């Protein structure tokens, strides 16, 4: 299944009750040509990755140029990504290869957040949803990968796992999802989701991400999962900690998704900017999406 942007928006609306609630007044979004128009109002910028800086493994040239310009101006730039498949060093290198001059200290990933939390769960054995190249052996916990043989031919191993970590959907299938669901029906256990996104923009369309499958489990078996990443506070707390020397009024969250980037940024007390040309809202009527969701950014632009 290759989801459409409208399907993705409707799916986010359907799970809205499981997302943080906006506790601040609505704003009247200001349309601007690009981030350059308002750059002088802020000292720190928190960028989503997919749909803002890149689409799949392709950098967006205007984003790359803007990122360079902001750093040349002395602005502090972070990347706050729900990516969880690749280890931190590999993810940083990906963005450096794409032309974004970032250091490890400038990138906060959902994998980094969940890894920190796993450090206090060392007595648990985790069944990990991820491909072999995701290097789950680098996580600070006992774990094994959920593969076809684990679910179909070695059911006991999955059933005996203490908890499940949904790290990546690469290689995931409906058959594997059904096997995981069946196992959790037999014995409900903690499920941590290292990527809350329902979809991510790729070169050939939107891909389904761990959040989609986690909410599917919530719908079918009543699962109450723990999420790491946007729009949840653990992601924005980590970003604000890194930028604690900058007043919140001088920080801007830039993203392509109302229900993750903009919702999370507003709940964290940050100014927000929605970019629309390449991400999860591409081709949709943005005004209608904002009105239906009740989520309004401070600024709107096609790209940064």
């Amino acid at each position: 299944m290759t989801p459409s942007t409208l399907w993705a928006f409707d799916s986010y609306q359907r799970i809205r009750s499981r997302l943080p609630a906006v506790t601040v007044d609505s704003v009247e979004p200001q349309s601007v040509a690009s981030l350059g128009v308002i750059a002088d109002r802020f000292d720190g910028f928190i960028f989503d990755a997919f749909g803002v800086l890149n689409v799949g493994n392709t950098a967006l040239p205007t984003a790359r140029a803007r990122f360079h310009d902001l750093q040349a101006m002395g602005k502090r730039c972070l990347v706050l990504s729900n990516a969880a498949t690749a280890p931190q060093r590999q993810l940083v290198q990906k963005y450096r290869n794409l032309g974004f001059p970032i250091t490890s200290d400038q990138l906060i990933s959902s994998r980094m957040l969940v890894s920190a939390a796993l450090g206090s769960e060392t007595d648990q054995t985790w069944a990990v949803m991820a491909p072999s190249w995701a290097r789950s052996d680098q996580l600070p916990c006992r774990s094994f990968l959920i593969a076809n043989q684990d679910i179909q031919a070695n059911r006991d191993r999955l059933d005996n796992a203490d908890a499940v970590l949904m790290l990546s959907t690469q290689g995931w299938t409906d058959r594997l999802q059904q096997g995981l669901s069946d196992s959790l029906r037999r014995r409900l256990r903690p499920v941590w989701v290292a990527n809350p996104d329902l979809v991510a923009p790729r070169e050939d369309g939107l891909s389904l991400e761990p959040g989609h499958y986690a909410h599917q489990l919530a719908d079918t078996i009543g699962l109450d999962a723990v999420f790491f990443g946007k729009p949840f506070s653990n992601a924005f707390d980590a970003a604000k900690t890194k930028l604690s020397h900058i007043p919140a009024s001088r920080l801007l969250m830039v993203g392509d998704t109302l229900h993750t980037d903009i919702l999370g940024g507003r709940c964290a007390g940050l100014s927000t900017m929605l970019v629309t040309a390449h991400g999860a809202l591409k081709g949709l009527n943005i005004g209608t999406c904002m009105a239906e969701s009740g989520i309004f950014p401070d600024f709107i632009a096609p790209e940064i």
Side-chain angles (χ1 to χ4, degrees):
M1 171 189 175
T2 301
S4 68
T5 52
L6 179 58
W7 178 92
F9 177 81
D10 288 343
S11 296
Y12 274 117
Q13 282 291 90
R14 186 177 56 79
I15 64 162
R16 180 63 187 280
S17 63
R18 299 178 188 143
L19 303 179
V22 177
T23 57
V24 293
D25 293 336
S26 296
V27 297
E28 183 67 31
Q30 177 185 347
S31 293
V32 294
S34 73
L35 181 54
V37 176
I38 57 171
D40 61 343
R41 302 189 196 183
F42 302 98
D43 300 313
F45 298 86
I46 305 168
F47 293 101
D48 175 39
F50 278 61
V52 176
L53 304 181
N54 61 292
V55 173
N57 293 312
T58 303
L60 297 173
T62 55
R64 185 166 51 204
R66 181 70 62 202
F67 202 94
H68 278 267
D69 289 346
L70 290 172
Q71 296 209 138
M73 294 166 62
K75 305 291 187 178
R76 185 81 164 96
C77 297
L78 292 184
V79 178
L80 183 60
S81 172
N82 280 354
T85 305
Q88 179 78 358
R89 182 180 297 180
Q90 186 176 331
L91 191 59
V92 171
Q93 190 59 51
K94 169 187 173 176
Y95 282 96
R96 292 186 65 83
N97 291 344
L98 291 177
F100 296 96
I102 67 170
T103 64
S104 183
D105 192 52
Q106 288 176 270
L107 190 147
I108 300 171
S109 68
S110 290
R111 176 160 177 153
M112 186 180 80
L113 298 173
V114 81
S115 293
L118 285 169
S120 62
E121 302 288 335
T122 55
D123 58 334
Q124 305 285 313
T125 297
W126 294 76
V128 181
M129 169 189 181
S132 58
W133 63 266
R135 297 303 306 271
S136 62
D137 58 305
Q138 294 183 7
L139 296 170
C141 63
R142 292 196 307 269
S143 67
F144 63 91
L145 292 178
I146 303 174
N148 195 54
Q149 66 174 24
D150 294 315
I151 288 182
Q152 304 300 336
N154 192 7
R155 192 177 83 173
D156 289 347
R157 190 182 190 199
L158 176 58
D159 286 354
N160 289 329
D162 298 307
V164 175
L165 174 61
M166 304 183 82
L167 195 69
S168 171
T169 57
Q170 295 197 27
W172 197 246
T173 65
D174 289 342
R175 187 181 181 205
L176 292 172
Q177 178 73 359
Q178 186 61 56
L180 176 58
S181 178
D182 290 344
S183 179
L184 290 169
R185 284 181 189 276
R186 289 189 290 270
R187 184 168 69 90
L188 193 60
R189 284 149 288 163
V191 175
W192 287 9
V193 185
N195 182 345
D197 287 345
L198 302 187
V199 298
R202 310 280 178 177
E203 291 88 345
D204 57 352
L206 299 176
S207 60
L208 294 174
E209 297 301 317
H212 164 73
Y213 292 101
H215 287 288
Q216 190 178 88
L217 291 173
D219 292 338
T220 57
I221 66 173
L223 174 73
D224 186 13
V226 178
F227 293 91
F228 294 84
K230 300 168 295 181
F232 299 95
S233 60
N234 46 40
F236 290 93
D237 288 346
K240 290 197 296 183
T241 295
K242 281 189 177 292
L243 299 173
S244 59
H245 60 292
I246 300 175
S249 61
R250 299 285 294 180
L251 296 176
L252 181 70
M253 174 68 210
V254 183
D256 71 303
T257 307
L258 288 170
H259 294 86
T260 59
D261 308 311
I262 305 306
L263 175 62
R266 286 186 58 75
C267 289
L270 307 178
S271 296
T272 59
M273 178 177 178
L274 178 71
V275 294
T276 60
H278 303 284
L281 298 175
K282 181 180 179 181
L284 298 183
N285 184 307
I286 303 302
T288 299
C289 292
M290 292 188 298
E292 290 185 6
S293 66
I295 304 169
F296 297 88
D298 295 280
F299 306 98
I300 303 174
E303 50 193 343
I304 65 171

